[in-house]
């Protein structure tokens, strides 16, 4: 193996390691994709995880300066088709291989930057944040899954956005306490944390349910090589959503709901059998 290929492979392996360390659920979902999609999706996850870590984790550092440097390095990696950062090098490889839109990358970085600001989210900012933080990540993955089929991408664009939106809103609802107590954020427009009640929770849940329904219509149209992995992520988040729905608002403010590992395994088995029976 020549040294350029070795550097490329090592960079992609770093993104794979990051995914495995930070998200067992996402790693499981990737493994159910066709093998040719594994490294490309790991590369996307590594990029978005590193950006998210800067804005959410490094409180003892100048996060704004760190993020500005990350943006600069991203620009350089995309322009030069090279980076000494393994995460950025792996990401730019897949951006260029699959034609991932620069607009998606810029929207994502803008949403991450919004987390450095003291925002009170009105409807417009809320929609902008969800688009950049979640919907475009789904669109990046859709570029990979469509493998250059532009007609398929356009047909599945809206369902992919709705799936990312559903996932992000479930995260917001699950993490409403930690987002407020640790970061001073409430993402839902017009929601006052101290007055979060069952009626407010039901309104949010109705919106999330509509996103899930719209997303499913696209999942069943994905190429079979990608369908099982995306469907597994869908059923995992749907299970988490149903657990949240069963609890009163006061419980959501008092505990972080999760799906146990044994339940995840059952969801995997059930999804696999549905896939094999061509029920999805």
């Amino acid at each position: 193996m020549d040294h350029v290929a070795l550097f490329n492979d090592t960079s992609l392996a770093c993104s794979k390691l990051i995914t495995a360390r930070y998200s067992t659920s996402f790693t499981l979902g990737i493994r159910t994709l066709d093998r040719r999609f594994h490294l490309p999706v790991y590369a996307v996850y590594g990029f978005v995880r590193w950006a998210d870590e800067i804005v959410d984790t490094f409180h003892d550092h100048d996060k704004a300066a760190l993020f500005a440097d990350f943006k600069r390095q991203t620009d350089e990696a995309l322009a030069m088709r090279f980076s000494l950062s393994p995460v950025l090098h792996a990401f730019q490889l897949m951006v260029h291989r699959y034609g991932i839109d620069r607009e998606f990358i810029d929207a994502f970085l803008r949403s991450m930057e919004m987390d450095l600001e003291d925002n009170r989210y009105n409807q417009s900012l809320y929609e902008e944040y969800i688009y950049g933080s979640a919907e475009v990540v789904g669109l990046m993955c859709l570029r990979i899954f469509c493998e250059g089929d532009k007609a398929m991408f356009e047909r599945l664009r809206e369902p992919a956005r709705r799936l990312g939106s559903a996932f992000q809103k479930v995260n917001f609802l699950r993490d409403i306490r930690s987002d407020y107590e640790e970061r001073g954020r409430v993402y839902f427009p017009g929601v006052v944390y101290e007055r979060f009640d069952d009626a407010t929770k039901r309104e949010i849940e109705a919106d999330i349910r509509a996103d899930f329904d719209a997303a499913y219509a696209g999942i069943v149209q994905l190429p079979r090589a990608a369908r099982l992995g995306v469907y597994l992520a869908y059923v995992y988040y749907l299970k988490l959503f149903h657990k949240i729905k069963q609890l009163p608002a006061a419980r959501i403010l008092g505990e972080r709901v999760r799906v146990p590992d044994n339940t995840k395994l059952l969801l995997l088995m059930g999804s696999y059998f549905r896939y094999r029976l061509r029920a999805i």
Side-chain angles (χ1 to χ4, degrees):
M1 180 182 292
D2 67 70
H3 284 271
V4 172
L6 179 60
F7 184 73
N8 291 347
D9 287 352
T10 303
S11 296
L12 289 163
C14 287
S15 292
K16 179 179 179 180
L17 176 63
I18 289 165
T19 310
R21 291 290 181 89
Y22 278 88
S23 178
T24 55
S25 298
F26 205 79
T27 299
L28 183 62
I30 292 174
R31 287 177 179 170
T32 59
L33 298 168
D34 186 89
R35 184 174 295 275
R36 70 182 183 273
F37 294 141
H38 289 189
L39 290 176
V41 178
Y42 286 136
V44 170
Y45 183 88
F47 172 74
V48 301
R49 169 51 61 186
W50 248 216
D52 192 59
E53 283 299 295
I54 292 171
V55 300
D56 275 353
T57 302
F58 304 131
H59 305 303
D60 295 332
H61 300 272
D62 185 341
K63 293 191 288 186
L66 288 175
F67 194 77
D69 189 52
F70 183 79
K71 284 179 63 179
R72 178 189 59 78
Q73 290 185 54
T74 299
D75 288 340
E76 289 181 354
L78 294 172
M80 296 173 59
R81 296 181 176 237
F82 173 80
S83 177
L84 287 174
S85 161
V87 166
L88 292 178
H89 187 70
F91 181 63
Q92 70 80 24
L93 284 173
M94 297 309 158
V95 168
H96 291 109
R97 180 182 300 179
Y98 291 96
I100 292 174
D101 310 55
R102 181 58 194 259
E103 184 267 321
F104 300 161
I105 300 166
D106 290 342
F108 169 75
L109 291 172
R110 171 57 187 150
S111 284
M112 293 301 95
E113 206 164 31
M114 288 167 72
D115 277 336
L116 297 173
E117 302 165 4
D118 186 18
N119 281 316
R120 291 288 178 179
Y121 284 84
N122 58 30
Q123 189 64 34
S124 177
L125 280 178
Y126 176 68
E127 292 174 3
E128 179 185 355
Y129 184 87
I130 289 175
Y131 176 71
S133 66
E135 294 179 20
V136 298
V137 178
L139 293 173
M140 291 181 200
C141 292
L142 184 61
R143 279 289 186 210
I144 294 168
F145 300 150
C146 290
E147 298 181 289
D149 188 330
K150 294 181 180 179
M152 179 186 295
F153 178 85
E154 291 303 324
R155 186 171 71 250
L156 298 180
R157 176 194 286 265
E158 184 61 20
R161 288 185 60 179
R162 297 293 290 273
L163 185 63
S165 177
F167 289 176
Q168 185 65 289
K169 291 169 186 174
V170 170
N171 286 338
F172 288 163
L173 195 52
R174 178 193 60 189
D175 297 334
I176 189 169
R177 182 182 69 170
S178 61
D179 280 336
Y180 181 75
E181 293 181 352
E182 297 172 18
R183 304 174 188 94
R185 304 176 196 151
V186 177
Y187 289 102
F188 298 112
V191 172
V192 177
Y193 180 79
E194 291 81 2
R195 295 201 292 272
F196 181 72
D197 57 17
D198 291 337
T200 304
K201 179 172 172 285
R202 284 193 296 270
E203 289 180 10
I204 293 169
E205 288 165 350
D207 181 47
I208 296 172
R209 178 74 257 184
D211 280 338
F212 272 120
D213 291 344
Y216 182 80
I219 292 172
V220 296
Q221 298 179 63
L222 282 168
R224 282 193 64 79
R227 196 177 304 169
L228 177 58
V230 178
Y231 179 74
L232 180 60
Y234 166 86
V235 297
Y236 166 70
Y237 264 91
L238 193 61
K239 181 67 174 179
L240 180 60
F241 176 58
H242 286 158
K243 290 193 70 173
I244 290 170
K245 281 188 69 176
Q246 291 168 5
L247 299 176
R251 287 278 299 277
I252 299 302
L253 296 181
E255 64 186 75
R256 189 176 192 270
V257 181
R258 62 181 299 274
V259 176
D261 290 342
N262 61 341
T263 302
K264 292 178 184 177
L265 181 59
L266 292 173
L267 292 172
L268 171 62
M269 292 171 61
S271 299
Y272 177 74
F273 285 123
R274 284 178 59 81
Y275 175 79
R276 293 293 295 175
L277 293 171
R278 295 188 174 268
I280 52 170

